[in-house]
Amino acid sequence: MVSRSEQRFININLITIIVTLLVILAGGIVRSTGSGMGCPDWPKCFDRYIPPTDVSQLPANYKEKYVAGRLKKNEKFAKYLESMGKVALADSIRHDKSITIPEEFNPVKTWTEYLNRLAGVAAGIFLFLTAVYSFTYRKTAKRIIALSILNLFVVGYQGWLGSIVVSTNLTQWVVTVHMLLALVILAISIYTYNYAKQLSKAPSVIMYRILWLKGFLFFTLVISIVQIVLGTDVREAVDVIAKELAYGSKSTWLSKVGSVFSYHRDLAILVVVTNAIVYKMVIDRFSGKAAPLLTARFILITLLVQLLSGFALAYIAFPPAAQALHILFSTLLFSLQFYLYLLVYRTSTYKQ
């Protein structure tokens, strides 16, 4: 029997997962519309809690002001990197000339980035509520409390890293780390959600252990993470090329990206094959409305949308909607794979 407080935690945790995915979708929209520098400062936007709608609302020297602010923040970040022994990375930040180039004010891009930040605030609020309500398990599952609190620290670090993404003018490796941290936040939330759900019902029972399925699921997770990193690299390379071509000749962008796109495209074949194998392994072991079977079906649907959006990006000259969907569904695919892994990991510890 699930208590009211336990059900409240489960519901809040699920909402947190959904809101986090929406934040990633918002980030995809920001990337696809080139609005990443729509707000040149952080956490405010043009030093306002409510962004301006017209250039007349900005101070005359706003470009110089925000470039100076970026350089100051980047110097602190460079020193932080040096303290970790990353001298070469620190030097690359200090000598990146693109950071000194001010962005022109564009109200559409400004508000697009601002709405993305509001979505991030909403995710932070729900992560905080998840941590508060996790104390319902203080006598039964302290792991849920520890992980929920840990997620607050991770999202705090993610917020700080978001400010670095802005100050470094979308430096490639910083954007990649920012994306990977989003996966960490999702993974922790999915883990606590699944753990709480499992505590609320009797253990699942299957016929025999399925170690092969667990191992293969972990392999697919690793492939998905590598594919997301490669996709981020492709996206960054495309951004550079797009700027060089003044956002014209879209049909030629991918041809100029180089080998990283080939790796990303070829790995997609492995992603399809491995997930098809996972689906076959799951339907051989589960039936009816079993959660692992339903999750495996959602994985196939997600993979189909992901492939279609990838084809659209490659052959229909980067439509913005396809860019946002591609980012969202790559993250959703990872989330479903991780959830399936947890389901199988949990059920495989019991025998009939």
Side-chain angles (χ1 to χ4, degrees), residues 40 43 70 100 130 141 175 188 192 204 208 235 260 304 320 337:
R70 286 209 301 262
T100 64
T130 300
V175 173
I188 293 174
T192 54
S204 303
Y208 43 79
R235 177 69 251 179
V260 67
L304 176 61
Q337 287 174 325

Side-chain angles (χ1 to χ4, degrees), residues 124-346:
I125 291 172
F126 279 104
L127 282 164
F128 175 76
L129 291 175
T130 300
V132 170
Y133 292 137
S134 70
F135 281 87
T136 251
Y137 296 95
R138 60 188 176 278
K139 294 181 179 178
T140 56
K142 292 181 180 178
R143 185 188 310 177
I144 289 178
I145 300 174
L147 288 173
S148 297
I149 293 174
L150 173 63
N151 227 4
L152 280 181
F153 285 99
V154 176
V155 79
Y157 187 82
Q158 176 78 323
W160 170 78
L161 194 62
S163 73
I164 297 300
V165 168
V166 173
S167 69
T168 58
N169 199 14
L170 312 178
T171 297
Q172 181 173 339
W173 68 269
V174 182
V175 173
T176 300
V177 174
H178 195 57
M179 183 66 190
L180 289 176
L181 273 182
L183 297 184
V184 171
I185 294 167
L186 268 176
I188 293 174
S189 295
I190 292 168
Y191 182 91
T192 54
Y193 171 78
N194 177 70
Y195 193 41
K197 288 279 287 185
Q198 293 291 345
L199 288 173
S200 69
K201 60 185 180 182
S204 303
V205 179
I206 60 173
M207 294 295 290
Y208 43 79
R209 293 183 182 273
I210 42 180
L211 295 175
W212 266 106
L213 179 53
K214 287 197 300 183
F216 199 76
L217 274 169
F218 184 78
F219 176 62
T220 62
L221 271 171
V222 173
I223 293 173
S224 289
I225 293 170
V226 172
Q227 182 71 328
I228 288 171
V229 171
L230 287 174
T232 304
D233 289 345
V234 170
R235 177 69 251 179
E236 295 302 319
V238 166
D239 283 348
V240 172
I241 293 165
K243 286 182 180 179
E244 290 175 351
L245 298 176
Y247 298 95
S249 305
K250 284 188 176 183
S251 60
T252 67
W253 290 358
L254 276 182
S255 64
K256 299 177 183 294
V257 168
S259 59
V260 67
F261 172 69
S262 299
Y263 296 147
H264 184 61
R265 179 190 58 201
D266 295 345
L267 192 60
I269 298 172
L270 184 59
V271 170
V272 171
V273 171
T274 53
N275 280 283
I277 293 172
V278 164
Y279 181 74
K280 180 64 168 61
M281 295 172 77
V282 169
I283 64 174
D284 285 346
R285 289 160 176 81
F286 299 92
S287 60
K289 295 184 178 179
L293 181 57
L294 293 175
T295 305
R297 287 172 178 165
F298 280 123
I299 285 175
L300 287 188
I301 295 170
T302 301
L303 187 58
L304 176 61
V305 176
Q306 177 71 350
L307 287 173
L308 291 175
S309 62
F311 280 125
L313 290 173
Y315 301 109
I316 316 180
F318 290 91
Q323 294 179 48
L325 285 176
H326 200 61
I327 294 172
L328 172 65
F329 277 84
S330 65
T331 313
L332 183 58
L333 178 62
F334 164 82
S335 302
L336 290 169
Q337 287 174 325
F338 184 59
Y339 185 56
L340 179 58
Y341 175 80
L342 293 176
L343 288 173
V344 171
Y345 182 85
R346 178 74 178 179

Side-chain angles (χ1 to χ4, degrees), residues 99-120:
I99 294 172
T100 64
I101 302 174
E103 294 287 325
E104 294 292 335
F105 174 72
N106 182 310
V108 174
K109 291 183 178 181
T110 292
W111 277 85
T112 301
E113 168 60 14
Y114 179 69
L115 292 175
N116 173 48
R117 293 185 184 186
L118 289 182

